[in-house]
Amino acid sequence: MTQETVPDEAPPPQAAPQPQDPPKGLLQQMEELMAALTADLSQLDAELQSSGERPSTD
């Protein structure tokens, strides 16, 4: 079996540089994603209700 050498600290993946924005914490990123998801689901629900096509809950 061969063993590959792995550096102790790999550089983190780089996103597009945004010098004016401080880095966001994981909790803040999750809150923003949840808010966007909630907005999308609310819009989808409104569209489904207006179309009159609701799946039966039987």
Side-chain angles (χ1 to χ4, degrees), residues 1 5 9-10 12 21 29 39 44 47 57:
M1 226 190 325
T5 58
E9 289 192 30
D21 294 336
Q29 290 178 8
L44 178 60
E47 290 174 4
T57 57

Side-chain angles (χ1 to χ4, degrees), residues 28-50:
Q28 185 178 357
Q29 290 178 8
M30 291 298 292
E31 287 174 347
E32 290 177 3
L33 288 171
M34 289 299 294
L37 178 61
T38 301
D40 288 345
L41 290 175
S42 295
Q43 181 180 0
L44 178 60
D45 185 46
E47 290 174 4
L48 288 174
Q49 286 184 9
S50 70

